[in-house]
């Protein structure tokens, strides 16, 4: 355990487990905003800056704040995750390579597949009058994104859905470890098969791209391919379904805001952006590479910092009335839900499209709904990515 830094304000805080985290992690974190930065002894000790400006400044300075560790406690993956745990200049090379893998034709295929999936799911759900939105809507949308990006054969998609459901940090550790192993074994096997074959001319999936691309004039090594593919799994499965689920919870609980959206469908992009800001699910980590200062507080070389992005995005000095979904907020500064600077999320465009499509399609057919009062236990979790386990909704089918 690291010694408590001199003159640090110390708070009893753990982003995995603090009061109120099982009902609303964002509100739970909001309660720690009274100081610009504090130290917690949890998990060996780390700093938590709480102001938008400081968090953004840290994200844009990879020289002073390294990405070598991306989670507290560490994920236990044997090598750095590519590209999220790399620093410049190495980071830039991989980032360029991976950017190619999620822009261009694959990006169009994913957005079309998501659009079709949202329409299909809503047509199926609307007449039922009730559903559990995490399992029935958010996770299937995320799985379509994922299986299209990876070009996973249809017969494997159910197995993948099971494995990825076991990945979040709140899942019991033995099940989680088994899922991690199954996923890395599967990826290693698929990458080897794809490398051994000539890629079909219309191939655009990530696995084939990694298997046949070059870096510095040489093919990627087996471990490099696997590490990049595995990070893309983590990047995709943790984040999107949580964001969609929290967004629907907010709209179910705030009828006036929801009605504004349903009567002004052209505002769906604005709503998606605000919902991302309100529920910035990711909590990033940085390590100071030298002694430095944040908000007049001395940070020592080697100290870890947790960048709780929802603390930045709900900072009242940056966003007045921060917990309200407002359709008239100025576009600047943009939110930090996808991070900022050199590591800003590579999937931001696709993820925003997915959330927008999910909202648009749903509200066209199911404009009013409430949270069902039944025996389902709704629980939220913190950690590297905030999550929501279930959200039962009910509505009257407007077509009846
Ligand atoms: C709502 C959904 C998503 C959220 C909130 C989100 C959030 C983030 C954040 C905050 C980072 C920066 C991490 C850091 O600076 O330490 C990040 C990085 C990344 N994300 Fe996402 N993400 C989402 C969806 C996706 C999707 C769908 C993909 C893939 C298609 C993806 C791929 C990546 C990759 C590859 C990185 C690493 C970029 C780098 O290190 O240069 N993300 N994401």
């Amino acid at each position: 355990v690291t010694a408590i830094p001199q003159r640090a304000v110390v708070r009893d805080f753990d982003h995995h487990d603090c009061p109120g985290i099982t009902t609303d992690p964002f509100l739970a974190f909001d309660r720690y905003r009274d100081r610009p930065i504090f130290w917690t002894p949890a998990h060996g000790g780390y700093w938590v800056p709480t102001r938008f400006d400081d968090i953004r400044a840290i994200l844009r300075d990879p020289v002073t704040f390294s990405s070598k560790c991306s989670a507290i406690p560490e994920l236990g993956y044997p090598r750095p995750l590519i590209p999220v745990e790399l620093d410049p200049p190495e980071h830039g090379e991989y980032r360029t390579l991976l950017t190619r893998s999620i822009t261009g034709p694959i990006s169009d295929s994913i957005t079309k597949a998501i659009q079709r999936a949202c329409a299909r799911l809503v047509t199926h759900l609307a007449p039922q009058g009730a559903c559990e939105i995490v399992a029935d809507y958010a996770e299937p949308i995320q799985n379509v994104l994922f299986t299209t990006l990876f070009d996973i054969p249809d017969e494997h998609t159910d197995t993948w859905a099971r494995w990825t459901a076991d990945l979040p940090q709140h899942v019991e550790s033995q099940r989680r470890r088994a899922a991690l192993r199954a996923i890395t074994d599967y990826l290693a096997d698929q990458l080897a098969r794809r490398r051994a074959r000539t890629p079909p001319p219309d191939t655009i999936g990530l696995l084939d791209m990694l298997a046949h691309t070059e870096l510095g004039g040489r093919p990627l090594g087996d471990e490099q391919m696997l590490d990049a593919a595995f990070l893309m799994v983590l990047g995709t499965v943790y984040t999107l379904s949580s964001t969609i689920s929290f967004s629907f919870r907010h709209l179910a609980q705030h009828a006036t805001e929801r009605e504004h959206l349903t009567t002004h469908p052209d505002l769906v992009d604005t709503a998606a952006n605000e919902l991302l800001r309100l529920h910035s699910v990711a909590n990033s980590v940085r390590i100071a590479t030298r002694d430095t200062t944040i908000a007049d507080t001395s940070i020592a070389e080697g100290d870890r910092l947790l960048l709780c992005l929802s603390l930045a995005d709900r900072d009242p000095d940056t966003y007045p009335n921060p917990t309200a979904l407002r359709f008239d907020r100025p576009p600047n500064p943009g939110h930090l839900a996808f991070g900022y600077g050199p590591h800003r999320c590579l999937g931001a465009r696709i993820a925003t499209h997915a959330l927008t499509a999910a909202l648009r399609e749903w509200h066209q057919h199911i404009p009013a709904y409430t949270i069902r009062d039944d025996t389902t236990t709704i629980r939220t979790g913190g950690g590297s990515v905030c999550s929501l386990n279930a959200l039962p909704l009910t509505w009257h089918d407007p077509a009846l």
Side-chain angles (χ1 to χ4, degrees):
V1 175
T2 317
I4 295 174
Q6 272 183 355
R7 288 196 297 278
V9 173
V10 181
R11 307 286 307 264
D12 180 13
F13 173 81
D14 179 350
H15 61 299
H16 293 266
D17 184 13
C18 59
I21 205 157
T22 55
T23 47
D24 189 328
F26 313 109
L27 278 179
F29 298 158
D30 282 346
R31 295 192 191 108
Y32 292 83
R33 201 189 290 289
D34 55 335
R35 297 298 183 120
I37 185 163
F38 63 86
W39 171 268
T40 168
H43 305 290
Y46 54 95
W47 292 102
V48 185
T50 68
R51 302 283 190 264
F52 179 92
D53 289 343
D54 292 331
I55 294 174
R56 193 174 61 169
I58 294 166
L59 286 168
R60 93 172 138 219
D61 181 0
V63 175
T64 314
F65 301 102
S66 161
S67 290
K68 279 203 173 69
C69 153
S70 68
I72 298 175
E74 290 201 35
L75 288 172
Y77 192 74
R79 295 175 298 278
L81 289 167
I82 295 174
V84 79
E85 290 184 342
L86 300 180
D87 290 326
E90 205 184 3
H91 168 256
E93 297 167 16
Y94 284 99
R95 183 157 169 115
T96 309
L97 185 150
L98 283 169
T99 304
R100 283 207 302 274
S101 75
I102 26 184
T103 48
I106 187 71
S107 164
D108 292 345
S109 301
I110 294 173
T111 50
K112 284 187 191 133
I114 287 174
Q115 185 61 50
R116 280 196 303 273
C118 293
R120 190 182 66 242
L121 289 162
V122 171
T123 308
H124 170 71
L125 292 172
Q128 297 183 9
C131 81
E132 194 285 277
I133 203 148
V134 178
D136 294 339
Y137 197 54
E139 287 179 353
I141 294 170
Q142 179 176 271
N143 285 335
V144 166
L145 187 161
F146 176 74
T147 50
T148 315
L149 174 64
F150 276 74
D151 185 24
I152 303 267
D154 287 347
E155 63 271 25
H156 297 168
T157 53
D158 288 348
T159 315
W160 265 94
R162 258 200 329 278
W163 287 338
T164 51
D166 275 353
L167 275 186
Q169 280 174 322
H170 62 77
V171 172
E172 182 262 316
S173 66
Q174 210 173 340
R175 256 177 53 208
R176 197 163 170 265
R177 268 203 304 276
L180 276 174
R181 209 172 25 251
I183 288 172
T184 43
D185 287 352
Y186 179 92
L187 289 175
D189 175 62
Q190 283 286 324
L191 285 163
R193 284 167 195 264
R194 290 173 197 238
R195 180 158 271 183
R197 73 179 190 192
T198 312
D202 55 349
T203 293
I204 51 171
L206 175 76
L207 295 177
D208 276 294
M209 195 285 296
L210 289 172
H212 295 286
T213 199
E214 292 191 343
L215 189 66
R218 291 168 48 191
L220 295 184
D222 291 350
E223 287 184 347
Q224 286 170 309
M225 291 195 295
L226 180 62
D227 300 348
F230 183 65
L231 182 271
M232 206 63 97
V233 176
L234 290 188
T236 326
V237 302
Y238 274 168
T239 47
L240 181 61
S241 71
S242 293
T243 305
I244 295 175
S245 306
F246 279 120
S247 298
F248 274 87
R249 180 162 93 163
H250 183 92
L251 292 168
Q253 289 171 332
H254 296 82
T256 313
E257 293 172 1
R258 189 184 65 237
E259 276 160 27
H260 196 79
L261 172 61
T262 52
T263 50
H264 300 83
D266 52 314
L267 291 179
V268 68
D269 294 315
T270 310
N273 227 25
E274 267 287 275
L275 288 163
L276 277 157
R277 180 190 66 75
L278 276 168
H279 312 97
S280 298
V281 293
N283 297 311
S284 298
V285 176
R286 295 292 187 268
I287 303 179
T289 58
R290 59 173 171 84
D291 294 353
T292 183
T293 306
I294 297 170
D296 296 328
T297 303
S298 303
I299 310 293
E301 177 183 347
D303 282 357
R304 298 179 301 175
L305 299 111
L306 180 83
L307 308 180
C308 191
L309 299 180
S310 73
L311 275 173
D313 281 342
R314 294 155 65 105
D315 180 344
D317 290 338
T318 307
Y319 299 104
N321 193 6
T323 54
L325 189 172
R326 279 183 39 189
F327 291 88
D328 60 350
R329 274 194 206 280
N332 289 316
H335 63 70
L336 306 183
F338 293 118
Y340 191 79
H343 286 277
R344 186 172 187 272
C345 178
L346 278 175
R349 207 187 72 78
I350 292 173
T352 307
H353 165 84
L355 176 61
T356 309
L359 292 169
R360 187 191 299 112
E361 202 60 43
W362 180 280
H363 291 97
Q364 268 170 18
H365 295 89
I366 311 171
Y369 45 91
T370 50
I371 298 177
R372 204 166 69 214
D373 191 13
D374 66 9
T375 52
T376 314
T377 315
I378 303 176
R379 281 187 88 245
T380 59
S384 295
V385 178
C386 300
S387 59
L388 177 60
N389 72 329
L391 183 65
L393 294 183
T394 181
W395 60 88
H396 292 294
D397 179 2
L400 294 180

